[in-house]
């Protein structure tokens, strides 16, 4: 009988050890207490209802089966007791973690304060909670605390761009990164982690490349998603191993990729642009994907990359029209434009243009025109610095597509609120006729960008003497529907 009693006790304890060891303590250690730097022992001498003591010789153990009990019945009884006890242990551990992380007087606690709290907690109150209560509560509060910290960082605004000053710091603190989800027509998915990441003046450039791309003719869509660690305040460096949340930023159709806007090419690749701001490079020889490059504007970037779900993007808050008390005959006034033309870490032109305006007689074909740089005013003309080209690279090859670059536009209204923001690859194309460039001799180029809010027309001249491009005309065209909905006007 003594042998049977000892065997049952040993099996029971082994089950508790396994249950305790299976708890993912690496994912739930509070970041503020050095005492949690190593995993808690399964049978820590914590006071309360979960203190275990090895039975002394001659003691009568409750797990001792009666001689009349069937061995199978005894095993079922032990398994049930072990399961319940393991759940109690897990709930107790998560309660300890929650208490250590979110106690309002945590800073004044002593080293054994968690255990003191456990003592004061009655056996009944701990058991009243459903299974997993403290784990769920801890995760929810961790996510909320991380979002609150990031939100505070995004409050100060840069007066030149109208965008948050500490966007770069917010990206670091949140542990934000991006993935693309390639979906085949049969429903199969491929998830690719970002290969490179760079921060520009008002945007972020993210690149994906590798050797294991699925065939382009089998792909249907591409989802661009932001991913963040669940425990935002714990992860200072993004990790792929911990639990992460996914937020859909944009979805792109790849079925007719080669019919999309062609940006440019070199001897190895061709590039195509998909709005908003996605550049796809295809190998010329195999006609397969070489890389994907996304240019993401800072405006609401953190919100769009963290507050949506894996299938539904973040919904922007409804805009309340700002009623302008100036007669509509005067049109728009007090606008401010920040523009950045860049690629591969080099900025070709970056500047801010203030006091832009438009009159009612500038309305034509459903657009209202804002003149930023006039070809009639030579003093406004600006050069592009450096050799203009869109840089790309993969695991093996690298190149630069001439006369292409990334263009970031941030237009603020008269209240200095973002009215129109975008980041997109663009290409300088030869002009068919010189038109208004009577003051310059050289090759003439133009750049055009169009979306649902407006369009940008940019005109340049290549100066052979100085071997540089000069911007001689820059105009924005805002859709009247956008203006009316923004200001509550009726142009």
């Amino acid at each position: 009988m003594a042998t049977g009693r000892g065997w049952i006790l040993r099996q029971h304890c082994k089950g508790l050890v396994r249950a305790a060891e299976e708890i993912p303590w690496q994912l739930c250690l509070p970041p503020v207490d050095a005492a949690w730097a190593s995993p808690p022992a399964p049978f820590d001498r914590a006071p309360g209802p979960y203190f275990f003591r090895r039975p002394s010789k001659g003691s009568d153990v409750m797990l001792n089966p009666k001689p009349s009990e069937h061995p199978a019945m005894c095993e079922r009884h032990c398994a049930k007791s072990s399961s319940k006890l393991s759940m109690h242990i897990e709930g107790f551990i998560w309660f300890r973690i929650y208490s250590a992380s979110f106690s309002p007087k945590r800073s004044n606690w002593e080293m054994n304060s968690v255990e003191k709290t456990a003592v004061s907690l009655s056996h009944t109150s701990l058991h009243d909670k459903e299974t997993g209560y403290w784990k769920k509560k801890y995760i929810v509060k961790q996510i909320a605390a991380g979002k609150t910290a990031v939100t505070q960082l995004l409050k100060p605004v840069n007066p030149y761009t109208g965008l948050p000053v500490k966007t770069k710091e917010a990206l670091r603190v949140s542990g934000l990164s991006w993935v693309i989800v390639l979906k085949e027509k049969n429903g199969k998915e491929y998830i690719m982690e970002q290969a490179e990441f760079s921060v520009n003046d008002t945007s972020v450039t993210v690149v994906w490349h590798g050797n294991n791309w699925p065939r382009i003719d089998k792909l249907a869509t591409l989802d661009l998603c932001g991913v963040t660690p669940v425990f935002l305040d714990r992860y200072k460096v993004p990790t792929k191993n911990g639990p992460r949340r996914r937020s859909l930023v944009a979805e792109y159709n790849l079925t007719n990729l080669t019919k999309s806007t062609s940006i440019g090419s070199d001897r190895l690749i061709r590039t195509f642009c998909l709005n908003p701001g996605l550049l796809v490079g295809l190998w010329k020889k195999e006609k397969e994907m070489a890389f994907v490059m996304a240019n993401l504007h800072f405006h609401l970037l953190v919100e769009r990359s963290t507050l949506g779900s894996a299938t539904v993007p973040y919904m922007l808050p409804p805009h309340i029209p700002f009623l302008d008390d100036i007669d509509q005959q005067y049109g728009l006034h007090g606008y401010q434009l920040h523009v950045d033309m860049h690629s591969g870490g080099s900025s070709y032109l970056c500047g801010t243009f203030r006091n832009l305006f438009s009159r009612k007689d500038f309305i034509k074909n459903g657009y209202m025109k804002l003149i930023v740089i006039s070809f009639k005013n030579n003093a406004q003309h600006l050069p592009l610095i450096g050799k203009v080209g869109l840089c790309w690279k993969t695991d093996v090859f690298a190149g630069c597509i001439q006369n292409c670059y990334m263009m970031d536009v941030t237009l603020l209204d008269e209240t200095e609120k973002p009215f129109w923001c975008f980041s997109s690859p663009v290409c300088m194309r030869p002009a068919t006729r010189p038109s208004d460039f009577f003051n310059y001799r050289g090759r003439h180029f133009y750049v055009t960008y169009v979306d649902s809010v407006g369009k940008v027309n940019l005109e340049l001249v290549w100066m052979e003497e100085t071997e540089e491009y000069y911007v001689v005309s820059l105009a924005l065209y805002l859709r009247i529907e956008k203006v009316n909905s923004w200001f509550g006007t009726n142009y």
Side-chain angles (χ1 to χ4, degrees), residues 253-290:
N253 189 340
L254 299 180
T255 54
N256 295 312
L257 177 61
T258 56
K259 295 182 180 179
S260 306
T261 303
S262 176
I263 294 298
S265 63
D266 57 17
R267 64 185 184 87
L268 293 177
I269 65 168
R270 294 183 301 160
T271 58
F272 299 90
C273 178
L274 297 172
N275 283 332
L278 193 74
L279 186 71
V280 179
L282 300 182
W283 296 112
K284 279 186 174 181
K285 187 175 181 180
E286 294 85 2
K287 295 183 180 179
E288 294 296 333
M289 298 180 73

Side-chain angles (χ1 to χ4, degrees), residues 8 82 119 125 151 218 227 315 325 349 370 410 467:
I8 292 174
S82 175
V119 173
S125 63
T151 301
K218 292 185 177 181
V227 288
M315 298 298 295
D325 57 356
L349 187 151
L370 287 174
T410 308
E467 295 187 344

Side-chain angles (χ1 to χ4, degrees), residues 33 157 209 369 390 422 432 453:
D33 194 347
V157 175
H209 56 72
K369 183 178 181 181
L390 197 154
F422 71 85
T432 56
V453 178

Side-chain angles (χ1 to χ4, degrees), residues 118-132:
V119 173
S120 63
L121 189 68
S122 68
H123 183 277
T124 303
S125 63
L126 190 61
H127 284 73
D128 283 344
K129 306 301 183 182
E130 67 274 13
T131 303

Side-chain angles (χ1 to χ4, degrees), residues 229-418:
V230 170
F231 307 120
L232 296 182
D233 62 338
R234 289 194 61 235
Y235 288 83
K236 300 305 181 183
V237 178
T239 176
K240 303 175 186 178
N241 300 324
R244 299 188 298 174
R245 300 179 66 253
R246 189 187 301 177
S247 175
L248 179 64
V249 177
E251 183 178 12
Y252 303 88
N253 189 340
L254 299 180
T255 54
N256 295 312
L257 177 61
T258 56
K259 295 182 180 179
S260 306
T261 303
S262 176
I263 294 298
S265 63
D266 57 17
R267 64 185 184 87
L268 293 177
I269 65 168
R270 294 183 301 160
T271 58
F272 299 90
C273 178
L274 297 172
N275 283 332
L278 193 74
L279 186 71
V280 179
L282 300 182
W283 296 112
K284 279 186 174 181
K285 187 175 181 180
E286 294 85 2
K287 295 183 180 179
E288 294 296 333
M289 298 180 73
F291 66 85
V292 172
M293 183 184 300
N295 221 54
L296 307 173
H297 197 281
F298 277 173
H299 180 51
L300 295 177
L301 174 60
V302 176
E303 292 85 345
R304 291 184 291 125
S305 301
T306 59
L307 300 183
S309 70
T311 57
V312 180
Y314 166 69
M315 298 298 295
L316 300 179
H319 172 72
I320 301 176
F322 170 75
L323 300 179
D324 196 339
D325 57 356
I326 297 181
D327 193 330
Q328 292 188 24
Q329 296 294 331
Y330 290 93
L332 305 180
H333 58 91
Y335 273 57
Q336 179 175 311
L337 171 68
H338 184 82
V339 61
D340 184 22
M341 305 176 188
H342 61 91
S343 177
S346 300
S347 181
Y348 308 125
L349 187 151
C350 184
T352 301
F353 303 86
R354 300 179 181 274
N355 299 321
L356 305 179
F357 66 93
S358 178
R359 297 192 298 269
K360 191 174 181 179
D361 56 349
F362 282 13
I363 298 176
K364 185 178 181 181
N365 299 326
Y367 288 94
M368 180 171 283
K369 183 178 181 181
L370 287 174
I371 299 177
V372 183
I373 296 177
S374 173
F375 67 88
K376 296 180 180 180
N377 189 345
N378 292 359
Q380 294 182 344
H381 300 173
L382 298 172
L384 299 186
I385 307 300
K387 187 177 181 180
V388 178
L390 197 154
C391 302
W392 64 269
K393 74 174 184 177
T394 65
D395 293 345
V396 180
F397 299 100
C400 189
I401 303 175
Q402 294 184 358
N403 298 340
C404 300
Y405 54 86
M406 296 290 183
M407 181 167 66
D408 303 343
V409 164
T410 308
L411 181 65
L412 309 181
D413 63 17
E414 59 183 284
T415 65
E416 297 184 350
K417 301 297 183 182

